[in-house]
Tab-separated table of all heavy atoms in Angstrom:
chain	number	residue	atom	x	y	z
A	1	VAL	N	118.577	160.365	0.515
A	1	VAL	CA	118.593	161.398	-0.521
A	1	VAL	C	119.994	161.487	-1.125
A	1	VAL	O	120.989	161.604	-0.402
A	1	VAL	CB	118.181	162.762	0.066
A	1	VAL	CG1	118.304	163.865	-0.995
A	1	VAL	CG2	116.759	162.700	0.599
A	2	VAL	N	120.100	161.441	-2.455
A	2	VAL	CA	121.401	161.518	-3.133
A	2	VAL	C	122.070	162.840	-2.804
A	2	VAL	O	121.483	163.914	-2.991
A	2	VAL	CB	121.236	161.362	-4.653
A	2	VAL	CG1	122.573	161.570	-5.360
A	2	VAL	CG2	120.685	159.992	-4.983
A	3	HIS	N	123.305	162.752	-2.312
A	3	HIS	CA	123.962	163.962	-1.825
A	3	HIS	C	125.431	164.063	-2.218
A	3	HIS	O	126.025	165.130	-2.124
A	3	HIS	CB	123.846	164.010	-0.295
A	3	HIS	CG	124.368	165.263	0.318
A	3	HIS	ND1	123.801	166.495	0.087
A	3	HIS	CD2	125.429	165.493	1.143
A	3	HIS	CE1	124.475	167.424	0.748
A	3	HIS	NE2	125.465	166.839	1.395
A	4	MET	N	126.049	162.969	-2.652
A	4	MET	CA	127.462	162.971	-3.013
A	4	MET	C	127.686	162.081	-4.231
A	4	MET	O	126.866	161.216	-4.545
A	4	MET	CB	128.337	162.449	-1.866
A	4	MET	CG	128.354	163.277	-0.616
A	4	MET	SD	129.439	162.519	0.638
A	4	MET	CE	129.024	163.512	2.070
A	5	VAL	N	128.825	162.297	-4.879
A	5	VAL	CA	129.274	161.450	-5.987
A	5	VAL	C	130.649	160.899	-5.603
A	5	VAL	O	131.523	161.656	-5.174
A	5	VAL	CB	129.364	162.236	-7.302
A	5	VAL	CG1	129.929	161.358	-8.418
A	5	VAL	CG2	127.990	162.783	-7.689
A	6	ILE	N	130.817	159.584	-5.746
A	6	ILE	CA	132.095	158.947	-5.432
A	6	ILE	C	132.779	158.534	-6.725
A	6	ILE	O	132.182	157.866	-7.574
A	6	ILE	CB	131.906	157.733	-4.514
A	6	ILE	CG1	131.296	158.183	-3.175
A	6	ILE	CG2	133.231	157.015	-4.273
A	6	ILE	CD1	131.086	157.050	-2.183
A	7	ILE	N	134.040	158.936	-6.865
A	7	ILE	CA	134.824	158.667	-8.067
A	7	ILE	C	135.693	157.434	-7.844
A	7	ILE	O	136.436	157.352	-6.864
A	7	ILE	CB	135.699	159.878	-8.427
A	7	ILE	CG1	134.828	161.130	-8.623
A	7	ILE	CG2	136.541	159.599	-9.668
A	7	ILE	CD1	133.785	161.013	-9.710
A	8	HIS	N	135.608	156.481	-8.776
A	8	HIS	CA	136.343	155.222	-8.700
A	8	HIS	C	137.169	155.005	-9.968
A	8	HIS	O	136.867	155.566	-11.018
A	8	HIS	CB	135.387	154.023	-8.618
A	8	HIS	CG	134.393	154.043	-7.515
A	8	HIS	ND1	134.490	153.214	-6.420
A	8	HIS	CD2	133.237	154.743	-7.353
A	8	HIS	CE1	133.438	153.404	-5.624
A	8	HIS	NE2	132.668	154.331	-6.167
A	9	THR	N	138.156	154.130	-9.887
A	9	THR	CA	138.755	153.518	-11.057
A	9	THR	C	138.524	152.014	-10.982
A	9	THR	O	138.564	151.422	-9.897
A	9	THR	CB	140.260	153.806	-11.174
A	9	THR	OG1	140.901	153.544	-9.917
A	9	THR	CG2	140.515	155.242	-11.584
A	10	CYS	N	138.310	151.393	-12.147
A	10	CYS	CA	137.932	149.983	-12.205
A	10	CYS	C	139.073	149.048	-11.824
A	10	CYS	O	138.835	147.890	-11.504
A	10	CYS	CB	137.486	149.626	-13.620
A	10	CYS	SG	135.974	150.445	-14.172
A	11	GLU	N	140.318	149.540	-11.904
A	11	GLU	CA	141.493	148.666	-11.796
A	11	GLU	C	141.447	147.594	-12.882
A	11	GLU	O	141.811	146.435	-12.672
A	11	GLU	CB	141.608	148.051	-10.400
A	11	GLU	CG	141.698	149.080	-9.289
A	11	GLU	CD	142.834	150.082	-9.512
A	11	GLU	OE1	143.988	149.656	-9.660
A	11	GLU	OE2	142.546	151.288	-9.556
A	12	GLY	N	141.013	148.015	-14.046
A	12	GLY	CA	140.921	147.157	-15.208
A	12	GLY	C	140.343	147.947	-16.362
A	12	GLY	O	140.099	149.154	-16.257
A	13	SER	N	140.108	147.259	-17.474
A	13	SER	CA	139.570	147.930	-18.654
A	13	SER	C	138.072	148.178	-18.498
A	13	SER	O	137.386	147.539	-17.688
A	13	SER	CB	139.822	147.082	-19.904
A	13	SER	OG	139.019	145.911	-19.885
A	14	TYR	N	137.563	149.077	-19.309
A	14	TYR	CA	136.148	149.443	-19.288
A	14	TYR	C	135.233	148.234	-19.489
A	14	TYR	O	134.312	147.996	-18.709
A	14	TYR	CB	135.905	150.488	-20.381
A	14	TYR	CG	134.465	150.746	-20.734
A	14	TYR	CD1	133.621	151.431	-19.871
A	14	TYR	CD2	133.947	150.325	-21.973
A	14	TYR	CE1	132.293	151.699	-20.212
A	14	TYR	CE2	132.637	150.583	-22.323
A	14	TYR	CZ	131.807	151.268	-21.448
A	14	TYR	OH	130.502	151.526	-21.786
A	15	THR	N	135.514	147.447	-20.517
A	15	THR	CA	134.636	146.326	-20.826
A	15	THR	C	134.677	145.266	-19.737
A	15	THR	O	133.640	144.710	-19.343
A	15	THR	CB	134.999	145.706	-22.183
A	15	THR	OG1	134.875	146.709	-23.201
A	15	THR	CG2	134.087	144.544	-22.526
A	16	SER	N	135.860	144.976	-19.226
A	16	SER	CA	135.940	143.995	-18.143
A	16	SER	C	135.218	144.509	-16.900
A	16	SER	O	134.669	143.730	-16.117
A	16	SER	CB	137.398	143.664	-17.809
A	16	SER	OG	138.072	144.784	-17.261
A	17	CYS	N	135.176	145.821	-16.745
A	17	CYS	CA	134.538	146.436	-15.574
A	17	CYS	C	133.026	146.280	-15.629
A	17	CYS	O	132.411	145.711	-14.719
A	17	CYS	CB	134.940	147.909	-15.508
A	17	CYS	SG	134.466	148.757	-13.986
A	18	TRP	N	132.401	146.780	-16.698
A	18	TRP	CA	130.937	146.704	-16.726
A	18	TRP	C	130.452	145.261	-16.844
A	18	TRP	O	129.392	144.915	-16.307
A	18	TRP	CB	130.332	147.569	-17.823
A	18	TRP	CG	130.611	147.222	-19.256
A	18	TRP	CD1	131.437	147.874	-20.117
A	18	TRP	CD2	130.026	146.143	-20.025
A	18	TRP	NE1	131.432	147.282	-21.359
A	18	TRP	CE2	130.566	146.219	-21.327
A	18	TRP	CE3	129.119	145.131	-19.741
A	18	TRP	CZ2	130.233	145.319	-22.342
A	18	TRP	CZ3	128.779	144.227	-20.748
A	18	TRP	CH2	129.321	144.324	-22.022
A	19	SER	N	131.217	144.408	-17.528
A	19	SER	CA	130.770	143.024	-17.670
A	19	SER	C	130.816	142.281	-16.331
A	19	SER	O	129.991	141.401	-16.077
A	19	SER	CB	131.603	142.287	-18.719
A	19	SER	OG	132.961	142.222	-18.349
A	20	TRP	N	131.766	142.631	-15.463
A	20	TRP	CA	131.816	142.012	-14.138
A	20	TRP	C	130.718	142.564	-13.236
A	20	TRP	O	130.055	141.821	-12.502
A	20	TRP	CB	133.186	142.227	-13.507
A	20	TRP	CG	133.318	141.693	-12.107
A	20	TRP	CD1	133.598	142.394	-10.978
A	20	TRP	CD2	133.168	140.320	-11.672
A	20	TRP	NE1	133.633	141.566	-9.873
A	20	TRP	CE2	133.372	140.283	-10.268
A	20	TRP	CE3	132.867	139.128	-12.340
A	20	TRP	CZ2	133.288	139.113	-9.524
A	20	TRP	CZ3	132.785	137.950	-11.587
A	20	TRP	CH2	133.004	137.957	-10.201
A	21	LEU	N	130.486	143.858	-13.297
A	21	LEU	CA	129.507	144.485	-12.407
A	21	LEU	C	128.066	144.162	-12.785
A	21	LEU	O	127.149	144.448	-12.011
A	21	LEU	CB	129.720	145.997	-12.375
A	21	LEU	CG	131.041	146.462	-11.761
A	21	LEU	CD1	131.147	147.979	-11.794
A	21	LEU	CD2	131.212	145.945	-10.341
A	22	THR	N	127.845	143.578	-13.963
A	22	THR	CA	126.504	143.129	-14.340
A	22	THR	C	126.336	141.633	-14.092
A	22	THR	O	125.327	141.041	-14.487
A	22	THR	CB	126.220	143.439	-15.822
A	22	THR	OG1	127.270	142.902	-16.642
A	22	THR	CG2	126.136	144.941	-16.056
A	23	ASN	N	127.293	141.035	-13.417
A	23	ASN	CA	127.289	139.617	-13.078
A	23	ASN	C	126.846	139.460	-11.620
A	23	ASN	O	127.372	140.136	-10.727
A	23	ASN	CB	128.706	139.055	-13.274
A	23	ASN	CG	128.801	137.559	-13.081
A	23	ASN	OD1	128.049	136.965	-12.319
A	23	ASN	ND2	129.751	136.937	-13.760
A	24	THR	N	125.898	138.566	-11.366
A	24	THR	CA	125.419	138.388	-9.989
A	24	THR	C	126.535	137.940	-9.051
A	24	THR	O	126.491	138.222	-7.848
A	24	THR	CB	124.289	137.340	-9.945
A	24	THR	OG1	124.745	136.129	-10.547
A	24	THR	CG2	123.054	137.840	-10.678
A	25	GLN	N	127.542	137.255	-9.580
A	25	GLN	CA	128.643	136.793	-8.731
A	25	GLN	C	129.466	137.949	-8.168
A	25	GLN	O	130.136	137.796	-7.147
A	25	GLN	CB	129.552	135.856	-9.522
A	25	GLN	CG	128.901	134.553	-9.951
A	25	GLN	CD	129.847	133.672	-10.745
A	25	GLN	OE1	131.052	133.902	-10.778
A	25	GLN	NE2	129.298	132.656	-11.391
A	26	ALA	N	129.426	139.084	-8.821
A	26	ALA	CA	130.257	140.217	-8.403
A	26	ALA	C	129.837	140.750	-7.038
A	26	ALA	O	130.671	141.186	-6.244
A	26	ALA	CB	130.184	141.329	-9.437
A	27	GLN	N	128.522	140.747	-6.771
A	27	GLN	CA	127.992	141.342	-5.543
A	27	GLN	C	128.500	142.774	-5.361
A	27	GLN	O	128.783	143.231	-4.251
A	27	GLN	CB	128.336	140.477	-4.326
A	27	GLN	CG	127.573	139.163	-4.288
A	27	GLN	CD	126.072	139.380	-4.150
A	27	GLN	OE1	125.581	139.854	-3.135
A	27	GLN	NE2	125.329	139.039	-5.208
A	28	ALA	N	128.655	143.452	-6.479
A	28	ALA	CA	129.105	144.847	-6.500
A	28	ALA	C	128.543	145.489	-7.761
A	28	ALA	O	128.171	144.793	-8.714
A	28	ALA	CB	130.623	144.946	-6.486
């Protein structure tokens, strides 16, 4: 059951972040 929210920073730009996280190689 969803119970918490975790706040992160990408350690990079927005576009580089979402484009990496939608890549199967990222495993994240």
Side-chain angles (χ1 to χ4, degrees):
V1 176
V2 175
H3 185 65
M4 295 180 190
V5 176
I6 298 181
I7 303 301
H8 304 252
T9 48
C10 294
E11 302 306 304
S13 70
Y14 166 72
T15 301
S16 66
C17 189
W18 65 254
S19 62
W20 177 241
L21 294 180
T22 53
N23 186 330
T24 55
Q25 295 179 13
Q27 290 296 293

